[in-house]
Amino acid sequence: MSTTTRPAGTGTTGARLRIRAALAVAAVTGLGATALTALPAAAAGEAVTVQYRQSATGSDQVEPWFKVVNTGSSSVPLSQVKVRYYFKADAGASYSYACSWAVKGCANLTGTFGTLAHPTATADRYLEVGFTAGAGSLAPGADTGDMQLRFHRSNWQPLNQNDDYSFGPAQTAYANWSKVTATVGGVQVWGTAPAGNEPTPTPTPTDPTTPPPSGAALFDDFDYTGHTDPATAAHGWSVRSNSGGPGVPGATWAPENVTFAKEGTNSIMNLRTSTAGTAESTRQTEVLTRATKFKNGTYAARVRFSDAPLSGPDGDRLVQTFFTINDLKAPMADDYAEYDFEYLPNGGWGEPANILYTTSWETYRPDPWEAVNQHSEVRASYAGWHDLVLTIDDSTIVYYVDGQEFGRHDARYLPERPMSINFNQWLIDLAGQSSTTARAYDQKVDYVLHVKDQVLTPAQVAAKVASYRTAGTAFEDSVPAVP
């Protein structure tokens, strides 16, 4: 995540700091939000069935094995498919997910745990299984092959499967199983959820390329002359210069490394982070809104990630980000909120190579480290320009990359208080590349958009940005201040 640590459960746990949350964000009171529009339904012809078998009925771990079958008339990108297995958590228990073997490759499967909005006698949690882009697509009639999954209590204490909604002790061979659910593009297409947790009907969407009705919004095309341009402060931006985390202890946050230039007809903000292998030579960059007034609605930015430095040796454990955040008032405070896009071009936090995370935070404790979050990830290169969209309504958090859903997170992680909007680029440590040869990395930003209390599709985001540019509007901020 963008303050200093990776999402919980993505590798070995080490000591981590969360200093920037307190340094970079002002504390404000909460802001209410109105009901939001629904997301569009899955495309016609997209339908899947889930087959299940249990591999073990013991008390040390749950072993649900799945196959996803495309029973529709069109190809289904597996990155759009989510499968949920529902269970009753043991008192006070936390859980760990693992993949033993999968035809599609365990590296192309994700497993996250969520909490049901309406618990029942047989279900208050679920394991949600997803797929990365590397899993490919399912042609009509095709299936994923075996997905041999398991999960257990984090402390390996005994567990009870017999009161779990999705558990089928007699299901020793693959067959259709309606006690697990599947969604395609966020729309449930298979199975029956525990009572009271059924999906709400999705209304017929309007033309997705039509800009939504006008309303409170922040839009910035980043048409500035430099970090000292009076308009940057007048438009509500702070270019960071104060010390502290995240990143390399003793590093400098360098406002002069934030520059602006034209690329074609668009103005671009560039964040440059540089190092020569020492804390003293390390210069990181961050730009954030001074106001903490953004909550439900749509957040979007077009961001260019980079895999390699402009010159010099590669390999630094870099984090390139677009995120929203408020301050942690106390360890494990339940009104904390943070929503991250984080790209690690050279790995880090236990990851050996490039990976893109999206993470939704409920809260955390810095020492000893404890995190409550939900994340999605794809292990692939994301070098180049990407359209990043985050939507938050009264029930769901959804992340999109280049128009495709990347992650969908639960109501448990919804914000209670408003947040700031931030971009930063920083180094986790200096262990990835020990050379003392100077090198610098660029992260570029084309625009940022927030539309208050409206859920926009990625196509609607593109249409709204185009309408600003057609009108010659480089900046607007009509989002009301928090009293």
Side-chain angles (χ1 to χ4, degrees):
M1 52 184 238
S2 296
T3 47
T4 53
T5 92
R6 59 178 163 78
T10 59
T12 57
T13 303
R16 308 174 184 92
L17 302 174
R18 293 287 304 228
I19 301 172
R20 188 184 52 69
L23 291 172
V25 184
V28 293
T29 57
L31 174 66
T34 59
L36 307 184
T37 57
L39 295 173
E46 291 184 347
V48 299
T49 295
V50 181
Q51 297 182 350
Y52 157 81
R53 61 159 292 193
Q54 60 82 10
S55 175
T57 58
S59 62
D60 59 345
Q61 61 184 341
V62 181
E63 296 188 41
W65 292 10
F66 299 119
K67 290 182 181 178
V68 177
V69 184
N70 183 355
T71 54
S73 59
S74 60
S75 180
V76 176
L78 281 170
S79 62
Q80 300 296 299
V81 176
K82 304 284 188 184
V83 175
R84 286 187 177 182
Y85 179 97
Y86 301 90
F87 64 98
K88 181 74 172 179
D90 297 281
S94 61
Y95 293 86
S96 297
Y97 155 85
C99 172
S100 299
W101 185 80
V103 172
K104 291 291 184 180
C106 284
N108 291 319
L109 271 64
T110 63
T112 57
F113 294 96
T115 302
L116 283 179
H118 304 288
T120 71
T122 59
D124 56 10
R125 302 271 189 91
Y126 57 82
L127 169 67
E128 182 173 87
V129 180
F131 300 85
T132 72
S137 298
L138 279 185
D143 66 66
T144 59
D146 278 350
M147 297 187 291
Q148 299 180 7
L149 311 179
R150 54 191 172 89
F151 65 92
H152 56 83
R153 292 183 60 167
S154 299
N155 58 7
W156 283 100
Q157 291 297 305
L159 50 76
N160 177 25
Q161 295 192 65
N162 292 319
D163 60 354
D164 292 348
Y165 176 85
S166 295
F167 179 53
Q171 196 76 7
T172 57
Y174 279 115
N176 290 353
W177 192 245
S178 63
K179 288 192 172 184
V180 296
T181 59
T183 59
V184 178
V187 178
Q188 186 171 316
V189 297
W190 172 259
T192 303
N197 296 277
E198 300 85 358
T200 55
T202 302
T204 302
T206 56
D207 180 358
T209 62
T210 301
S214 60
L218 167 71
F219 172 74
D220 202 329
D221 222 359
F222 295 114
D223 190 7
Y224 303 111
T225 60
H227 76 280
T228 59
D229 187 336
T232 60
H235 289 172
W237 294 105
S238 175
V239 183
R240 184 176 174 182
S241 60
N242 59 293
S243 62
V248 176
T252 299
W253 291 90
E256 66 274 15
N257 280 14
V258 176
T259 58
F260 301 87
K262 289 286 187 180
E263 290 193 4
T265 59
N266 292 347
S267 51
I268 302 296
M269 177 171 69
N270 190 70
L271 285 73
R272 178 163 295 176
T273 292
S274 59
T275 188
T278 65
E280 295 74 19
S281 67
T282 301
R283 305 180 73 77
Q284 305 177 136
T285 45
E286 181 166 24
V287 177
L288 64 152
T289 61
R290 292 197 309 276
T292 307
K293 62 178 183 178
F294 309 98
K295 195 182 176 192
N296 285 22
T298 299
Y299 300 81
R302 183 165 174 79
V303 178
R304 187 184 186 278
F305 298 128
S306 58
D307 277 353
L310 301 173
S311 62
D314 195 4
D316 291 291
R317 294 171 179 168
L318 191 70
V319 186
Q320 301 173 332
T321 74
F322 166 46
F323 63 104
T324 70
I325 191 172
N326 61 28
D327 59 326
L328 182 73
K329 292 184 175 295
M332 302 302 286
D334 61 7
D335 62 350
Y336 177 73
E338 180 180 348
Y339 306 94
D340 302 329
F341 288 92
E342 293 177 305
Y343 181 53
L344 281 61
N346 292 313
W349 300 326
E351 291 291 334
N354 37 29
I355 184 169
L356 177 63
Y357 287 114
T358 60
T359 310
S360 301
W361 287 85
E362 170 62 17
T363 191
Y364 71 95
R365 174 176 30 234
D367 188 20
W369 178 254
E370 183 177 357
V372 182
N373 63 31
Q374 187 174 1
H375 69 274
S376 306
E377 73 281 328
V378 169
R379 293 169 177 83
S381 172
Y382 278 84
W385 285 103
H386 297 283
D387 294 303
L388 310 178
V389 176
L390 159 68
T391 64
I392 302 174
D393 64 12
D394 291 329
S395 62
T396 310
I397 303 141
V398 186
Y399 298 85
Y400 299 88
V401 177
D402 298 331
Q404 298 297 312
E405 184 176 316
F406 187 96
R408 179 177 291 261
H409 300 165
D410 306 325
R412 179 183 182 185
Y413 306 96
L414 292 171
E416 289 85 5
R417 292 188 291 122
M419 301 167 287
S420 64
I421 298 175
N422 305 49
F423 300 90
N424 69 6
Q425 184 180 214
W426 53 280
L427 292 168
I428 297 171
D429 53 39
L430 296 173
Q433 173 54 261
S434 59
S435 171
T436 56
T437 300
R439 59 268 189 191
Y441 300 81
D442 282 356
Q443 174 187 339
K444 297 181 179 181
V445 184
D446 183 10
Y447 70 83
V448 67
L449 172 70
H450 170 70
V451 181
K452 183 180 184 294
D453 293 342
Q454 293 182 26
V455 167
L456 276 60
T457 66
Q460 287 176 318
V461 167
K464 191 165 184 69
V465 171
S467 68
Y468 278 119
R469 288 177 166 168
T470 299
T473 303
F475 175 80
E476 177 194 358
D477 185 3
S478 56
V479 179
V482 175

Tab-separated table of all heavy atoms in Angstrom, residues 15 53 57 63 70 83 101 120 162 202 226 228 288 324 408 423 464:
chain	number	residue	atom	x	y	z
A	15	ALA	N	8.973	-5.877	9.817
A	15	ALA	CA	8.639	-4.616	10.486
A	15	ALA	C	8.333	-3.562	9.458
A	15	ALA	O	9.018	-3.410	8.478
A	15	ALA	CB	9.830	-4.187	11.345
A	53	ARG	N	-15.652	-30.185	-5.488
A	53	ARG	CA	-15.498	-31.411	-4.722
A	53	ARG	C	-14.680	-31.084	-3.493
A	53	ARG	O	-13.852	-30.178	-3.510
A	53	ARG	CB	-14.823	-32.515	-5.519
A	53	ARG	CG	-13.421	-32.216	-6.002
A	53	ARG	CD	-12.624	-33.464	-6.331
A	53	ARG	NE	-12.308	-34.238	-5.131
A	53	ARG	CZ	-11.418	-35.227	-5.101
A	53	ARG	NH1	-10.775	-35.576	-6.205
A	53	ARG	NH2	-11.177	-35.874	-3.982
A	57	THR	N	-12.085	-33.888	4.840
A	57	THR	CA	-13.117	-33.560	5.829
A	57	THR	C	-12.514	-33.400	7.214
A	57	THR	O	-13.239	-33.364	8.196
A	57	THR	CB	-14.192	-34.661	5.863
A	57	THR	OG1	-13.555	-35.912	6.179
A	57	THR	CG2	-14.889	-34.776	4.523
A	63	GLU	N	-10.413	-27.889	2.258
A	63	GLU	CA	-9.829	-28.109	0.936
A	63	GLU	C	-10.915	-28.120	-0.140
A	63	GLU	O	-11.286	-29.169	-0.669
A	63	GLU	CB	-9.034	-29.422	0.907
A	63	GLU	CG	-7.825	-29.424	1.834
A	63	GLU	CD	-6.949	-30.643	1.655
A	63	GLU	OE1	-6.728	-31.048	0.488
A	63	GLU	OE2	-6.501	-31.198	2.664
A	70	ASN	N	-17.404	-22.583	-18.647
A	70	ASN	CA	-18.105	-21.568	-19.434
A	70	ASN	C	-19.295	-22.224	-20.123
A	70	ASN	O	-19.139	-22.983	-21.079
A	70	ASN	CB	-17.158	-20.947	-20.469
A	70	ASN	CG	-17.830	-19.835	-21.267
A	70	ASN	OD1	-19.019	-19.582	-21.131
A	70	ASN	ND2	-17.060	-19.171	-22.119
A	83	VAL	N	-15.212	-16.432	-7.607
A	83	VAL	CA	-15.944	-17.557	-7.005
A	83	VAL	C	-15.883	-17.396	-5.498
A	83	VAL	O	-14.815	-17.129	-4.933
A	83	VAL	CB	-15.328	-18.909	-7.420
A	83	VAL	CG1	-16.012	-20.064	-6.692
A	83	VAL	CG2	-15.420	-19.096	-8.935
A	101	TRP	N	-2.349	-26.778	-6.205
A	101	TRP	CA	-2.066	-27.016	-7.620
A	101	TRP	C	-3.242	-26.531	-8.439
A	101	TRP	O	-4.391	-26.591	-7.996
A	101	TRP	CB	-1.824	-28.501	-7.890
A	101	TRP	CG	-1.413	-28.788	-9.301
A	101	TRP	CD1	-0.174	-28.639	-9.845
A	101	TRP	CD2	-2.251	-29.263	-10.371
A	101	TRP	NE1	-0.167	-28.986	-11.170
A	101	TRP	CE2	-1.435	-29.376	-11.529
A	101	TRP	CE3	-3.600	-29.589	-10.460
A	101	TRP	CZ2	-1.937	-29.805	-12.742
A	101	TRP	CZ3	-4.103	-30.028	-11.679
A	101	TRP	CH2	-3.268	-30.128	-12.800
A	120	THR	N	-25.268	-15.567	8.829
A	120	THR	CA	-26.281	-16.580	9.106
A	120	THR	C	-25.681	-17.620	10.050
A	120	THR	O	-24.501	-17.539	10.419
A	120	THR	CB	-26.745	-17.270	7.813
A	120	THR	OG1	-25.689	-18.109	7.318
A	120	THR	CG2	-27.121	-16.248	6.741
A	162	ASN	N	-18.232	-28.648	9.609
A	162	ASN	CA	-19.576	-29.203	9.506
A	162	ASN	C	-20.671	-28.144	9.564
A	162	ASN	O	-21.805	-28.411	9.153
A	162	ASN	CB	-19.795	-30.244	10.612
A	162	ASN	CG	-18.937	-31.477	10.386
A	162	ASN	OD1	-18.794	-31.944	9.264
A	162	ASN	ND2	-18.340	-31.988	11.468
A	202	THR	N	-29.787	-5.348	-10.749
A	202	THR	CA	-29.060	-4.272	-11.422
A	202	THR	C	-29.945	-3.673	-12.512
A	202	THR	O	-30.393	-4.378	-13.398
A	202	THR	CB	-27.773	-4.820	-12.066
A	202	THR	OG1	-26.980	-5.411	-11.036
A	202	THR	CG2	-26.997	-3.706	-12.728
A	226	GLY	N	5.481	24.649	-12.973
A	226	GLY	CA	6.425	24.001	-12.078
A	226	GLY	C	5.839	23.882	-10.696
A	226	GLY	O	4.706	24.336	-10.433
A	228	THR	N	6.557	25.442	-8.097
A	228	THR	CA	6.386	26.731	-7.420
A	228	THR	C	5.332	27.610	-8.089
A	228	THR	O	5.090	28.736	-7.640
A	228	THR	CB	7.726	27.491	-7.385
A	228	THR	OG1	8.176	27.701	-8.731
A	228	THR	CG2	8.773	26.719	-6.598
A	288	LEU	N	-0.118	15.781	-3.200
A	288	LEU	CA	-1.385	15.413	-2.582
A	288	LEU	C	-2.270	16.634	-2.419
A	288	LEU	O	-1.786	17.770	-2.403
A	288	LEU	CB	-1.158	14.769	-1.219
A	288	LEU	CG	-0.518	15.639	-0.131
A	288	LEU	CD1	-0.963	15.175	1.255
A	288	LEU	CD2	1.010	15.578	-0.229
A	324	THR	N	-5.994	7.198	-2.292
A	324	THR	CA	-6.702	8.095	-1.389
A	324	THR	C	-6.441	7.629	0.028
A	324	THR	O	-6.241	6.439	0.274
A	324	THR	CB	-8.213	8.096	-1.664
A	324	THR	OG1	-8.753	6.832	-1.261
A	324	THR	CG2	-8.507	8.327	-3.135
A	408	ARG	N	-12.497	-6.213	-6.728
A	408	ARG	CA	-13.784	-5.805	-6.145
A	408	ARG	C	-13.728	-6.159	-4.669
A	408	ARG	O	-13.578	-7.323	-4.304
A	408	ARG	CB	-14.937	-6.523	-6.847
A	408	ARG	CG	-16.330	-6.189	-6.305
A	408	ARG	CD	-17.389	-6.897	-7.119
A	408	ARG	NE	-17.452	-6.330	-8.466
A	408	ARG	CZ	-18.337	-5.427	-8.869
A	408	ARG	NH1	-19.259	-4.994	-8.021
A	408	ARG	NH2	-18.324	-4.972	-10.106
A	423	PHE	N	-0.539	11.155	-5.097
A	423	PHE	CA	0.372	10.419	-5.964
A	423	PHE	C	1.738	10.446	-5.278
A	423	PHE	O	2.174	11.510	-4.818
A	423	PHE	CB	0.517	11.088	-7.336
A	423	PHE	CG	-0.772	11.197	-8.106
A	423	PHE	CD1	-1.583	12.314	-7.972
A	423	PHE	CD2	-1.169	10.193	-8.976
A	423	PHE	CE1	-2.762	12.434	-8.688
A	423	PHE	CE2	-2.354	10.300	-9.697
A	423	PHE	CZ	-3.148	11.424	-9.549
A	464	LYS	N	-16.153	11.983	-19.744
A	464	LYS	CA	-16.162	13.195	-18.929
A	464	LYS	C	-14.841	13.958	-19.088
A	464	LYS	O	-14.833	15.192	-19.207
A	464	LYS	CB	-16.410	12.857	-17.460
A	464	LYS	CG	-16.687	14.089	-16.605
A	464	LYS	CD	-17.274	13.716	-15.270
A	464	LYS	CE	-17.639	14.952	-14.444
A	464	LYS	NZ	-18.788	15.693	-15.011
